[in-house]
Each structure stands twice: as structure tokens, then as C-alpha cells.
Amino acid sequence: MTGTVAKPTIGIIGTGAIGGFYGLMLARAGFDVHFLLRSEFCAVAEHGLRLDSAVHGKLTLNPVQAYSCAEDMPPCDWLLIGAKTTSNAELVPAILQAAAPDAKVLLLQNGLDVEDGLRELLPDSLHVLGGLCYICVHRDGPGAITHQALGMVHVGYHSGPAADEQAGTAIAEEGARLFQAAGIDSHSMPNLHQARWQKLVWNIPYNGLSVLLGASTTPLMADADSRELIKAVMAEVVQGAIACGHEVAPGYAEHLFAMTEKMPDYWPSMYHDFLHKRPLELAAIYARPLAAAKAAGCEMPRIEALYRSLSFIDRRNA
């Protein structure tokens, strides 16, 4: 008689829209999931997490294994980071308190090289991975999440004690299987850096223009001028990626453009940050790609103008 393999203990650091959605789905699939919360701790501890999903229906997780302090959490084999990149350095104490030995720290975040800064602050014994979430999801209130479309997660190994590339890939595949067990389409990525550039093809135009123009995806896609601007910005991202040595399949930007036309109307995450007067993720989504492309001899003038405009807005909004 063969014994069953124990399921890993999973910790969610940053229980917003992303952390709340994936954490709830993993918990409902039978995983031992522990949620770290700050301002919403009391509401979630009392009423649970509620998900209104166009894909999965109305779901509730109650009770929730909720914590206001990371040192109260059990040692977690996997830590899913759903917080914004702007707070990564502040998360280090919580990660260290909640991580089991040899834990896998998976950053479910947008932007370029977001793993690098956190890697420098964590011990070599912890694995760092990147996760790209292709999902339309937002927070509606304390413990309340609305999921409009998509949900796929791509997982890639960044760094840590994995002996070689093959061992790192095996850990990324293990991460993808967690999501697959929760009914979420998930795959491992052979090249995390390239995949992050590819996701920027969507993130750079739509996140920034939603703030700059005060428009969600449907009106942006309905106007001839904003459509042309989106295409031009997408083309610059592709040029930057190629200059940095990354392959982007022909027609990839056009595919993302066509996909957005079919999506339900969506306010990107940067607009929600702007609306709630939170810092915008400008370093990860704009400054780092601009610097990387410039170092490779590629200027991206439209993206530079977008970045400078958003920086002004971000400072005024603070």
C-alpha cells in the first residue's frame, strides 16, 4: 500500500485581489492555506473571503486561516506574494517569519526583474520564483473579490538552492501543479525574463493609459486614436524585448490586442492604485524596461513619455 504525498502548506502574503483569488481557489481545492492580512484582517476573520467569478461562480471561504502577524503563521512550504512590487522590501520580515526551511517564494507580480531586488534581501536557502497572472480581477471591498475573466498562471524559477537548471524547472513545474489542482490553467516557463518582457506588451500600454486617459479597456479599444497609440506602444515594447535578446513571436502584440477587444470591460490594476491613492508600480513596469532597452541601444520614446507623465501624476496623487 503506497502512502499519499502530503500537500504543502501555502502562505499568502498580500491578500488583495490576486492573493485572495488564488489563495481561495487553492484552499477550496483542499490545500492548507494561510492568509496574512493587515487592514482587512478583522473583516476577513469574521466574514471570510468572498469571490464573485464570471468563470467559477459565487464562492465563499469561511472560516479563513487569517493572520495579522506573520510570526503567528505556521512554517509555509510555498509563499505566494500577492502584494504590489512597491512594497517588496517591506515584506522581507514577514517572508522570513513565515517561510519553512527550503521554502519556495513565488512573486505573483507584474513588471521586469521584480525578483532581483527581493533576492538580494533573502537568504540563499530560499527559492525565488516568478509568476505571471493573466487574469481580470479586482477587489471590491474588505474580503470581496470580483473575477471577470481569464486566470492562467505561468511559473518560472529565478534563483535559489536548486542544483541546476533542471532542478529549478522541476520546482517551477511543482508550482504549476498546485494551481492545476485548483482548476487553474498553469504552466512552467523556461525563460522567466523573456516571459516578463512578453507580459509587458500588454501591461505597459493598458495600465498607463487607463490612468493617463481615465479610461478602461472598452473605451480605449473603441477610439481610433487610443487604438493607434496602444499599437504603437506595444510595438515599442516588442522592439525593447528583441533588443534585450528575447524572442517575441510574430503577431504576438496583435494577438494581445485582439484578445483585449474580446475581454469584458476592465480597469487595469494601476488605475485601482491611482484611484485609492496608492503608489503606482512605475519602477517595475516602466523604469526598468526603459533602462534595460536603453542599455541595449534601444530608445522607446512613447513609453518614456508615458512614464514621465505617470510619474507626475503619481507624485501629485500622493
XYZ file of all heavy atoms in Angstrom, residues 197-289:
732
model
N 9.044 40.210 -20.187
C 9.013 41.164 -21.295
C 7.738 40.988 -22.118
O 7.086 41.972 -22.505
C 10.236 40.990 -22.197
C 11.384 41.908 -21.882
C 12.570 41.579 -21.287
C 11.464 43.314 -22.151
N 13.371 42.696 -21.162
C 12.725 43.774 -21.690
C 10.584 44.236 -22.735
C 13.125 45.112 -21.804
C 10.986 45.565 -22.839
C 12.234 45.997 -22.379
N 7.382 39.744 -22.380
C 6.187 39.496 -23.196
C 4.920 40.006 -22.512
O 4.041 40.573 -23.167
C 6.077 37.998 -23.502
C 7.156 37.508 -24.465
C 7.164 35.996 -24.626
O 6.548 35.265 -23.866
N 7.889 35.515 -25.631
N 4.843 39.850 -21.199
C 3.646 40.339 -20.495
C 3.590 41.867 -20.485
O 2.510 42.462 -20.450
C 3.589 39.790 -19.061
C 2.231 40.035 -18.389
C 2.003 39.106 -17.214
C 0.545 39.139 -16.752
N 0.187 40.302 -15.985
N 4.760 42.504 -20.527
C 4.798 43.968 -20.575
C 4.164 44.516 -21.856
O 3.736 45.677 -21.883
C 6.245 44.457 -20.470
C 6.908 44.343 -19.092
C 8.406 44.604 -19.204
C 6.271 45.287 -18.083
N 4.086 43.700 -22.896
C 3.454 44.142 -24.144
C 2.008 44.568 -23.876
O 1.497 45.505 -24.504
C 3.526 43.035 -25.225
C 2.791 43.454 -26.496
C 4.986 42.709 -25.550
N 1.361 43.923 -22.912
C 0.000 44.335 -22.510
C 0.047 45.342 -21.363
O -0.630 46.372 -21.391
C -0.827 43.111 -22.072
C -2.300 43.414 -21.997
C -3.226 43.170 -22.972
C -3.030 43.998 -20.890
N -4.480 43.585 -22.548
C -4.384 44.091 -21.285
C -2.666 44.461 -19.635
C -5.377 44.624 -20.453
C -3.662 45.000 -18.806
C -4.985 45.077 -19.213
N 0.858 45.063 -20.357
C 0.848 45.874 -19.141
C 1.243 47.331 -19.385
O 0.650 48.252 -18.804
C 1.788 45.289 -18.089
C 1.186 44.111 -17.353
O 1.854 43.109 -17.134
N -0.075 44.205 -16.972
N 2.257 47.562 -20.194
C 2.751 48.933 -20.379
C 1.684 49.839 -21.006
O 1.400 50.917 -20.472
C 4.078 48.936 -21.154
C 5.219 48.509 -20.205
C 4.363 50.305 -21.759
C 6.589 48.433 -20.849
N 1.050 49.474 -22.118
C 0.040 50.388 -22.664
C -1.225 50.498 -21.825
O -1.667 51.614 -21.511
C -0.257 49.810 -24.058
C 0.188 48.395 -24.006
C 1.324 48.341 -23.040
N -1.811 49.381 -21.445
C -3.140 49.455 -20.826
C -3.109 49.990 -19.393
O -3.986 50.751 -18.995
C -3.835 48.088 -20.889
C -4.228 47.709 -22.285
C -3.464 46.799 -23.016
C -5.345 48.270 -22.898
C -3.806 46.458 -24.329
C -5.696 47.935 -24.199
C -4.919 47.034 -24.913
O -5.260 46.711 -26.199
N -2.116 49.592 -18.596
C -2.033 50.121 -17.233
C -1.846 51.633 -17.254
O -2.577 52.372 -16.594
C -0.888 49.449 -16.466
C -1.324 48.202 -15.736
O -2.017 48.262 -14.735
N -0.928 47.050 -16.252
N -0.856 52.093 -18.012
C -0.552 53.518 -18.021
C -1.649 54.367 -18.625
O -2.013 55.417 -18.084
N -2.187 53.932 -19.765
C -3.208 54.737 -20.436
C -4.518 54.778 -19.657
O -5.257 55.756 -19.743
C -3.435 54.225 -21.861
C -2.254 54.457 -22.818
C -2.514 53.805 -24.170
C -1.973 55.943 -22.989
N -4.798 53.741 -18.872
C -6.015 53.785 -18.046
C -5.944 54.938 -17.055
O -6.944 55.616 -16.785
C -6.223 52.462 -17.310
O -5.290 52.290 -16.251
N -4.735 55.175 -16.510
C -4.541 56.280 -15.566
C -4.484 57.612 -16.301
O -5.145 58.585 -15.936
C -3.246 56.068 -14.740
C -2.957 57.284 -13.857
C -3.364 54.804 -13.889
N -3.690 57.663 -17.359
C -3.460 58.919 -18.077
C -4.741 59.442 -18.741
O -5.019 60.645 -18.715
C -2.378 58.698 -19.135
C -1.712 59.945 -19.713
C -0.981 60.718 -18.633
C -0.741 59.552 -20.818
N -5.529 58.530 -19.305
C -6.731 58.925 -20.036
C -8.014 58.709 -19.243
O -9.096 59.083 -19.704
C -6.813 58.166 -21.365
C -5.606 58.342 -22.298
C -5.786 57.534 -23.574
C -5.382 59.816 -22.637
N -7.906 58.117 -18.057
C -9.093 57.881 -17.241
C -10.091 56.970 -17.926
O -11.302 57.184 -17.874
N -9.586 55.924 -18.587
C -10.455 55.056 -19.387
C -10.118 53.596 -19.164
O -8.951 53.228 -19.026
C -10.310 55.390 -20.870
N -11.151 52.761 -19.148
C -10.987 51.316 -19.047
C -10.786 50.732 -20.448
O -10.749 51.466 -21.436
C -12.210 50.700 -18.358
O -13.401 51.165 -18.987
N -10.665 49.412 -20.534
C -10.262 48.817 -21.808
C -11.277 49.030 -22.939
O -10.879 49.294 -24.075
C -10.002 47.302 -21.644
O -11.162 46.677 -21.066
C -8.791 47.053 -20.760
N -12.574 48.939 -22.655
C -13.565 49.045 -23.744
C -13.519 50.401 -24.441
O -13.417 50.456 -25.680
C -14.976 48.719 -23.232
O -15.002 47.350 -22.797
C -16.023 48.908 -24.322
N -13.586 51.535 -23.717
C -13.457 52.818 -24.417
C -12.089 53.025 -25.066
O -12.000 53.639 -26.141
C -13.730 53.873 -23.332
C -13.666 53.164 -22.034
C -13.962 51.729 -22.301
N -11.021 52.501 -24.451
C -9.704 52.615 -25.084
C -9.670 51.894 -26.428
O -9.042 52.361 -27.381
C -8.621 52.036 -24.159
C -8.196 52.870 -22.953
C -7.239 52.076 -22.060
C -7.548 54.182 -23.371
N -10.360 50.751 -26.495
C -10.366 49.963 -27.729
C -11.384 50.490 -28.744
O -11.354 50.115 -29.914
C -10.665 48.499 -27.421
C -9.627 47.820 -26.529
S -7.973 47.828 -27.236
C -8.148 46.561 -28.485
N -12.296 51.365 -28.301
C -13.352 51.860 -29.191
C -12.943 53.129 -29.939
O -13.592 53.505 -30.916
C -14.621 52.123 -28.393
N -11.892 53.799 -29.484
C -11.489 55.084 -30.052
C -10.314 54.892 -31.013
O -9.324 54.223 -30.690
C -11.094 56.040 -28.925
C -10.736 57.426 -29.442
O -11.658 58.248 -29.589
O -9.537 57.658 -29.722
N -10.406 55.502 -32.181
C -9.380 55.301 -33.219
C -8.009 55.784 -32.761
O -6.988 55.121 -33.012
C -9.799 56.029 -34.503
N -7.943 56.927 -32.081
C -6.648 57.465 -31.671
C -6.000 56.642 -30.563
O -4.796 56.369 -30.605
C -6.797 58.923 -31.225
C -7.053 59.857 -32.399
O -6.350 59.721 -33.415
O -7.961 60.705 -32.312
N -6.796 56.240 -29.555
C -6.212 55.434 -28.480
C -5.813 54.055 -28.992
O -4.799 53.490 -28.564
C -7.168 55.326 -27.279
O -8.447 54.875 -27.672
N -6.547 53.521 -29.957
C -6.176 52.228 -30.561
C -4.799 52.320 -31.220
O -3.951 51.434 -31.037
C -7.208 51.800 -31.611
C -8.509 51.274 -31.045
C -9.529 51.051 -32.155
N -9.151 49.968 -33.032
C -9.475 48.690 -32.847
N -10.176 48.344 -31.784
N -9.110 47.756 -33.709
N -4.593 53.386 -31.991
C -3.306 53.547 -32.667
C -2.173 53.748 -31.664
O -1.064 53.250 -31.856
C -3.375 54.720 -33.652
C -4.223 54.444 -34.879
C -3.844 53.150 -35.584
O -2.645 52.964 -35.903
O -4.745 52.308 -35.815
N -2.463 54.480 -30.579
C -1.453 54.702 -29.547
C -1.082 53.386 -28.861
O 0.097 53.110 -28.619
C -1.965 55.724 -28.528
C -1.010 56.121 -27.402
C 0.326 56.603 -27.944
C -1.652 57.187 -26.511
N -2.089 52.561 -28.554
C -1.832 51.260 -27.926
C -0.950 50.398 -28.836
O 0.034 49.797 -28.393
C -3.161 50.533 -27.615
C -3.901 51.235 -26.469
C -2.916 49.063 -27.262
C -5.363 50.855 -26.364
N -1.289 50.359 -30.124
C -0.494 49.559 -31.079
C 0.951 50.055 -31.131
O 1.891 49.249 -31.169
C -1.126 49.632 -32.473
C -2.421 48.837 -32.621
C -2.976 49.016 -34.028
C -4.295 48.269 -34.213
N -4.874 48.521 -35.561
N 1.128 51.377 -31.142
C 2.467 51.951 -31.235
C 3.283 51.655 -29.977
O 4.481 51.333 -30.062
C 2.372 53.460 -31.464
N 2.641 51.735 -28.810
C 3.346 51.431 -27.557
C 3.686 49.949 -27.498
O 4.798 49.568 -27.107
C 2.499 51.863 -26.332
C 3.129 51.373 -25.031
C 2.352 53.385 -26.301
N 2.749 49.100 -27.895
C 3.025 47.661 -27.946
C 4.232 47.360 -28.832
O 5.106 46.556 -28.473
C 1.800 46.899 -28.472
C 0.690 46.694 -27.470
S -0.649 45.699 -28.204
C -1.424 45.026 -26.728
N 4.298 48.024 -29.985
C 5.405 47.792 -30.918
C 6.738 48.194 -30.285
O 7.756 47.524 -30.490
C 5.164 48.570 -32.210
N 6.738 49.271 -29.497
C 7.964 49.683 -28.805
C 8.404 48.649 -27.787
O 9.602 48.370 -27.653
C 7.755 51.029 -28.103
C 7.897 52.216 -29.023
C 7.999 53.537 -28.284
O 7.921 53.555 -27.027
O 8.153 54.560 -28.956
N 7.454 48.067 -27.048
C 7.815 47.031 -26.068
C 8.447 45.845 -26.776
O 9.469 45.303 -26.327
C 6.591 46.565 -25.239
C 7.031 45.561 -24.169
C 5.870 47.726 -24.583
N 7.868 45.434 -27.897
C 8.414 44.317 -28.671
C 9.837 44.638 -29.124
O 10.750 43.794 -29.014
C 7.505 43.990 -29.871
C 8.174 42.981 -30.798
C 6.159 43.446 -29.385
N 10.062 45.862 -29.605
C 11.409 46.272 -30.029
C 12.393 46.212 -28.858
O 13.532 45.763 -29.006
C 11.363 47.696 -30.598
C 10.691 47.796 -31.951
C 10.356 49.237 -32.328
O 10.684 50.178 -31.603
N 9.687 49.407 -33.454
N 11.947 46.674 -27.686
C 12.796 46.634 -26.492
C 13.158 45.216 -26.098
O 14.311 44.923 -25.766
N 12.169 44.329 -26.141
C 12.408 42.923 -25.795
C 13.425 42.296 -26.739
O 14.365 41.611 -26.308
C 11.091 42.144 -25.838
N 13.258 42.544 -28.031
C 14.164 41.973 -29.035
C 15.571 42.532 -28.853
O 16.568 41.797 -28.931
C 13.622 42.226 -30.455
C 12.332 41.402 -30.674
C 14.661 41.886 -31.519
C 11.556 41.755 -31.926
N 15.667 43.844 -28.582
C 16.978 44.464 -28.357
C 17.692 43.835 -27.165
O 18.921 43.723 -27.151
C 16.814 45.964 -28.144
N 16.905 43.392 -26.168
C 17.484 42.763 -24.976
C 17.721 41.265 -25.163
O 18.065 40.561 -24.202
C 16.574 43.007 -23.773
S 16.552 44.730 -23.222
N 17.532 40.796 -26.393
C 17.877 39.413 -26.716
C 16.762 38.412 -26.507
O 17.021 37.206 -26.448
N 15.515 38.897 -26.425
C 14.389 37.990 -26.171
C 13.522 37.837 -27.414
O 13.216 38.809 -28.100
C 13.550 38.498 -25.000
C 14.327 38.589 -23.726
N 14.896 37.488 -23.130
C 14.665 39.659 -22.956
C 15.532 37.861 -22.036
N 15.411 39.172 -21.909
N 13.123 36.631 -27.641
C 12.289 36.338 -28.800
C 10.837 36.707 -28.498
O 10.308 36.402 -27.427
C 12.387 34.830 -29.108
C 11.680 34.414 -30.372
C 11.797 32.909 -30.631
O 12.817 32.317 -30.231
O 10.861 32.344 -31.210
N 10.214 37.397 -29.433
C 8.774 37.659 -29.362
C 8.183 37.156 -30.675
O 8.586 37.608 -31.754
C 8.471 39.165 -29.173
C 6.959 39.391 -29.102
C 9.134 39.695 -27.899
N 7.266 36.232 -30.582
C 6.709 35.613 -31.785
C 6.042 36.656 -32.673
O 5.378 37.572 -32.169
C 5.702 34.537 -31.394
N 6.193 36.550 -33.979
C 5.494 37.471 -34.892
C 3.982 37.405 -34.638
O 3.421 36.323 -34.468
C 5.840 36.922 -36.282
C 7.089 36.123 -36.084
C 7.017 35.566 -34.701
N 3.346 38.560 -34.579
C 1.903 38.599 -34.350
C 1.491 38.537 -32.897
O 0.302 38.544 -32.582
N 2.487 38.480 -31.975
C 2.154 38.366 -30.547
C 1.399 39.597 -30.044
O 0.383 39.478 -29.358
C 3.421 38.143 -29.718
C 3.179 38.032 -28.228
C 2.578 36.895 -27.691
C 3.523 39.071 -27.356
C 2.341 36.789 -26.322
C 3.290 38.973 -25.994
C 2.698 37.835 -25.484
O 2.460 37.729 -24.139
N 1.889 40.789 -30.399
C 1.217 42.021 -29.960
C -0.190 42.086 -30.549
O -1.148 42.460 -29.846
C 2.034 43.242 -30.370
N -0.318 41.702 -31.807
C -1.637 41.715 -32.452
C -2.595 40.742 -31.756
O -3.793 41.023 -31.626
C -1.499 41.352 -33.933
C -0.785 42.398 -34.777
C 0.724 42.387 -34.631
O 1.278 41.510 -33.924
O 1.373 43.270 -35.229
N -2.053 39.612 -31.323
C -2.860 38.630 -30.584
C -3.393 39.222 -29.283
O -4.580 39.073 -28.952
C -2.014 37.380 -30.300
C -2.576 36.490 -29.237
N -3.712 35.714 -29.418
C -2.170 36.269 -27.949
C -3.980 35.047 -28.308
N -3.068 35.376 -27.400
N -2.520 39.922 -28.529
C -2.950 40.534 -27.272
C -3.981 41.633 -27.521
O -4.931 41.799 -26.750
C -1.751 41.107 -26.524
C -0.731 40.113 -25.967
C 0.347 40.849 -25.184
C -1.400 39.070 -25.068
N -3.787 42.382 -28.591
C -4.718 43.453 -28.961
C -6.101 42.869 -29.265
O -7.121 43.347 -28.758
C -4.158 44.194 -30.177
C -4.874 45.470 -30.509
C -4.544 46.657 -29.876
C -5.870 45.493 -31.477
C -5.199 47.844 -30.193
C -6.535 46.665 -31.799
C -6.186 47.854 -31.147
N -6.125 41.805 -30.068
C -7.395 41.155 -30.421
C -8.059 40.526 -29.198
O -9.282 40.571 -29.046
C -7.148 40.094 -31.498
N -7.234 39.947 -28.304
C -7.766 39.351 -27.071
C -8.446 40.415 -26.203
O -9.507 40.170 -25.613
C -6.629 38.695 -26.295
C -7.032 38.013 -24.998
S -5.595 37.560 -23.988
C -5.153 39.160 -23.292
N -7.851 41.609 -26.155
C -8.409 42.685 -25.324
C -9.746 43.160 -25.883
O -10.643 43.529 -25.118
C -7.407 43.856 -25.228
O -6.141 43.337 -24.825
C -7.861 44.884 -24.209
N -9.894 43.122 -27.192
C -11.178 43.507 -27.805
C -12.309 42.580 -27.369
O -13.468 43.009 -27.287
C -11.056 43.486 -29.333
C -10.273 44.666 -29.880
C -10.467 44.841 -31.374
O -10.062 43.956 -32.128
O -11.000 45.893 -31.775
N -11.965 41.332 -27.086
C -12.995 40.347 -26.705
C -13.231 40.291 -25.202
O -14.176 39.655 -24.743
C -12.572 38.957 -27.211
C -12.494 38.848 -28.728
C -11.887 37.511 -29.147
C -11.620 37.484 -30.649
N -10.750 36.375 -31.035
N -12.346 40.917 -24.432
C -12.459 40.879 -22.969
C -13.638 41.714 -22.486
O -14.026 42.672 -23.148
C -11.181 41.481 -22.327
C -10.082 40.487 -22.081
S -8.533 41.263 -21.529
C -9.039 42.718 -20.667
N -14.200 41.378 -21.311
C -15.153 42.307 -20.698
C -14.435 43.602 -20.330
O -13.208 43.617 -20.186
C -15.620 41.565 -19.440
C -14.561 40.561 -19.160
C -13.979 40.181 -20.485
N -15.189 44.689 -20.216
C -14.590 45.975 -19.876
C -13.824 45.856 -18.558
O -14.350 45.349 -17.570
C -15.684 47.037 -19.751
C -15.108 48.440 -19.641
O -14.009 48.676 -20.157
O -15.779 49.294 -19.033
N -12.579 46.331 -18.553
C -11.691 46.072 -17.416
C -10.866 47.306 -17.074
O -10.295 47.946 -17.962
C -10.764 44.897 -17.761
C -9.780 44.522 -16.680
C -10.229 44.084 -15.435
C -8.406 44.593 -16.911
C -9.321 43.736 -14.439
C -7.498 44.238 -15.923
C -7.960 43.814 -14.688
O -7.060 43.473 -13.711
N -10.831 47.626 -15.789
C -9.940 48.665 -15.279
C -8.658 47.998 -14.797
O -8.691 47.231 -13.834
C -10.590 49.417 -14.112
C -11.695 50.347 -14.510
C -13.033 50.105 -14.455
C -11.551 51.683 -15.021
N -13.739 51.198 -14.900
C -12.854 52.184 -15.254
C -10.446 52.501 -15.299
C -13.085 53.464 -15.749
C -10.677 53.766 -15.798
C -11.977 54.245 -16.016
N -7.520 48.244 -15.434
C -6.266 47.612 -15.004
C -5.893 47.972 -13.574
O -6.359 48.973 -13.021
C -5.241 48.154 -16.012
C -6.048 48.520 -17.213
C -7.350 49.026 -16.674
N -5.011 47.169 -13.003
C -4.655 47.316 -11.583
C -4.063 48.683 -11.268
O -4.269 49.220 -10.183
C -3.683 46.213 -11.171
O -2.489 46.279 -11.935
N -3.319 49.260 -12.203
C -2.704 50.563 -11.931
C -3.759 51.647 -11.732
O -3.569 52.578 -10.941
C -1.747 50.951 -13.059
C -0.887 52.158 -12.718
S 0.458 52.439 -13.908
C 1.633 51.177 -13.382
N -4.879 51.527 -12.438
C -5.948 52.510 -12.235
C -6.526 52.397 -10.829
O -6.815 53.414 -10.184
C -7.060 52.349 -13.276
C -8.121 53.413 -13.101
C -7.944 54.678 -13.650
C -9.270 53.171 -12.348
C -8.892 55.678 -13.456
C -10.212 54.159 -12.152
C -10.018 55.411 -12.709
O -10.957 56.393 -12.504
N -6.699 51.169 -10.338
C -7.213 50.985 -8.965
C -6.229 51.569 -7.950
O -6.641 52.172 -6.949
C -7.456 49.500 -8.686
C -8.630 48.941 -9.426
N -9.934 49.137 -9.028
C -8.693 48.189 -10.562
C -10.756 48.539 -9.876
N -10.026 47.949 -10.810
N -4.925 51.406 -8.201
C -3.923 52.000 -7.307
C -4.032 53.526 -7.326
O -3.988 54.176 -6.280
C -2.514 51.570 -7.717
C -2.266 50.097 -7.461
O -2.951 49.521 -6.595
O -1.381 49.518 -8.120
N -4.187 54.081 -8.514
C -4.338 55.533 -8.647
C -5.594 56.017 -7.918
O -5.563 56.998 -7.161
C -4.410 55.901 -10.135
C -4.891 57.294 -10.405
C -4.089 58.396 -10.137
C -6.169 57.512 -10.913
C -4.541 59.692 -10.381
C -6.625 58.792 -11.155
C -5.807 59.888 -10.895
N -6.693 55.297 -8.129
C -7.977 55.682 -7.537
C -7.899 55.701 -6.011
O -8.453 56.596 -5.364
C -9.056 54.702 -8.005
C -10.514 55.062 -7.739
C -10.910 56.296 -8.526
C -11.419 53.893 -8.121
N -7.205 54.730 -5.437
C -7.100 54.618 -3.976
C -5.848 55.298 -3.422
O -5.495 55.079 -2.263
C -7.145 53.144 -3.575
C -8.450 52.482 -3.905
N -9.603 52.715 -3.186
C -8.795 51.612 -4.893
C -10.602 52.011 -3.709
N -10.134 51.335 -4.747
N -5.210 56.117 -4.286
C -4.033 56.910 -3.875
C -2.896 56.050 -3.324
O -2.221 56.415 -2.375
C -4.440 58.007 -2.874
C -5.393 59.030 -3.469
C -5.580 60.227 -2.561
C -6.515 61.251 -3.200
N -5.944 61.873 -4.419
N -2.735 54.862 -3.944
C -1.583 54.015 -3.624
C -0.464 54.320 -4.619
O -0.746 54.739 -5.748
C -1.973 52.533 -3.718
C -3.022 52.096 -2.688
C -3.207 50.587 -2.706
N -3.855 50.106 -3.899
C -5.146 49.720 -3.969
N -5.919 49.797 -2.905
N -5.650 49.260 -5.101
N 0.789 54.087 -4.241
C 1.894 54.305 -5.187
C 1.714 53.449 -6.438
O 1.306 52.289 -6.355
C 3.132 53.878 -4.398
C 2.733 53.939 -2.966
C 1.270 53.633 -2.915
N 2.005 54.026 -7.589
C 1.922 53.282 -8.848
C 3.192 52.455 -9.045
O 4.273 52.877 -8.648
C 1.735 54.244 -10.022
C 0.553 55.215 -9.923
C 0.454 56.058 -11.198
C -0.767 54.483 -9.673
N 3.055 51.307 -9.683
C 4.197 50.397 -9.878
C 5.036 50.851 -11.084
O 5.240 50.104 -12.041
C 3.699 48.971 -10.066
C 3.019 48.392 -8.833
C 2.616 46.948 -9.027
O 1.642 46.699 -9.768
O 3.268 46.067 -8.461
N 5.555 52.059 -11.013
C 6.248 52.645 -12.156
C 7.651 52.090 -12.350
O 8.111 51.951 -13.477
C 6.294 54.168 -12.013
C 4.924 54.857 -11.934
C 5.100 56.368 -11.842
C 4.056 54.492 -13.136
N 8.347 51.775 -11.269
C 9.713 51.239 -11.404
C 9.690 49.906 -12.124
O 10.438 49.685 -13.090
C 10.363 51.102 -10.030
N 8.818 48.994 -11.681
C 8.786 47.635 -12.232
C 8.253 47.598 -13.662
O 8.768 46.861 -14.512
C 7.931 46.734 -11.338
N 7.224 48.400 -13.952
C 6.540 48.298 -15.243
C 7.120 49.244 -16.289
O 7.048 48.969 -17.492
C 5.021 48.512 -15.052
C 4.445 47.386 -14.172
C 4.282 48.556 -16.377
C 2.960 47.524 -13.849
N 7.739 50.350 -15.865
C 8.253 51.332 -16.827
C 9.760 51.592 -16.713
O 10.490 51.454 -17.692
C 7.481 52.655 -16.699
C 6.044 52.501 -17.090
C 5.069 52.215 -16.140
C 5.643 52.577 -18.425
C 3.750 52.023 -16.494
C 4.321 52.382 -18.793
C 3.380 52.104 -17.825
O 2.074 51.900 -18.189
N 10.243 51.983 -15.532
C 11.633 52.426 -15.409
C 12.625 51.312 -15.763
O 13.592 51.547 -16.491
C 11.890 52.956 -13.998
N 12.397 50.090 -15.262
C 13.348 49.006 -15.517
C 13.364 48.588 -16.984
O 14.447 48.417 -17.564
C 13.044 47.814 -14.610
C 13.480 48.050 -13.169
C 13.218 46.848 -12.282
N 13.046 47.261 -10.908
C 12.147 46.768 -10.068
N 11.337 45.804 -10.462
N 12.057 47.212 -8.837
N 12.199 48.411 -17.626
C 12.248 48.097 -19.064
C 12.909 49.217 -19.884
O 13.671 48.921 -20.812
C 10.774 47.938 -19.442
C 10.088 47.585 -18.169
C 10.832 48.294 -17.089
